[in-house]
Amino acid sequence: MIYKEFQPDKLLNDFVKNYWWFDNSTTQQLDFTILPDGCFDLIISFDNYQQKEISLTGIWTKQVEVSIEPNRQLFGVRFKLLATDYILQQNISAFCDSEQTKENDFWQLDKISFADLEIATEKLNKIMLSILGSQKGIDSRKQNLFNLLYQTNGEQTVKQYSQQIFWTSRQINRYFKDRFGIPLKSYCKILKLFASFKHIRKGQLYPEQNYFDQSHFIKDLKKHTGNNPTELFENKNDRFLQLATMTEK
């Protein structure tokens, strides 16, 4: 298999985490478990490099099992949540823990060649920058909230975030449920758990994130991933793709 990641234009940093490419060039089906990471993805699938389908995922609150057929390729845009309002311009709450199929001419992606991934990502940069350029402006409360969430890995309380951005907890939760289908508190748990994976990968089975105790951490981990820290650390057969491809930063 081949897995690659590409960084977006710096002007998209608040909206796009990265682009990614997965190529199952083997003759076997590959099975993986995808863990919740706090992002959502636009995924273009190919059979023998011919575009077949485009789908938009919601936020994953639990692990999802995926099977990638032989000679199947996938290209993804891994979005941060602010992209829902200013790039996708749609709610994704209706397909939390699932996905929505898009038309094959969405963003005219059917006219983009993915033979050269660097060129393809540049074209996607231009598409999204054009969409952003047509916006009247970005709500500073939303931008500040997401910046704080990512900087702190969701370790603060809803009240603490609310006080820092001058947006009431009730309004924030209404916004989260409307746009993403989950309350902010649940989203914070996902961010905290995902931040712990880099520690688990090194064998630190009680990560440095702000948990009351280890039993609390293990309970949350099993709820959202279906596994305990040891199972994630062992990662038999590279089952957990994000752990297998995670780079040190």
Side-chain angles (χ1 to χ4, degrees), residues 137-200:
I138 297 172
D139 187 327
S140 60
R141 295 178 307 175
K142 294 176 184 176
Q143 194 166 29
N144 291 336
L145 173 61
F146 288 120
N147 283 337
L148 277 171
L149 285 169
Y150 298 135
Q151 288 166 9
T152 59
N153 295 318
E155 291 191 18
Q156 297 183 14
T157 65
V158 175
K159 183 177 180 180
Q160 286 173 323
Y161 289 121
S162 169
Q163 291 171 339
Q164 290 176 81
I165 63 171
F166 307 105
W167 196 11
T168 70
S169 299
R170 184 176 179 182
Q171 289 173 323
I172 292 173
N173 274 316
R174 186 185 302 127
Y175 168 71
F176 257 75
K177 288 178 181 178
D178 177 61
R179 290 293 190 279
F180 315 116
I182 59 173
L184 176 56
K185 185 176 180 180
S186 297
Y187 185 69
C188 287
K189 285 186 177 182
I190 292 169
L191 288 183
K192 280 175 66 175
L193 286 172
F194 190 74
S196 77
F197 294 162
K198 63 183 178 183
H199 304 299
I200 292 174

Side-chain angles (χ1 to χ4, degrees), residues 7-37:
Q7 294 306 304
D9 187 289
K10 290 182 180 180
L11 295 175
L12 292 170
N13 281 346
D14 282 346
F15 309 91
V16 179
K17 186 171 183 180
N18 56 40
Y19 300 109
W20 55 268
W21 171 259
F22 185 98
D23 187 347
N24 180 11
S25 53
T26 73
T27 57
Q28 297 180 334
Q29 174 179 296
L30 299 178
D31 298 317
F32 295 104
T33 300
I34 304 299
L35 303 171
D37 62 2

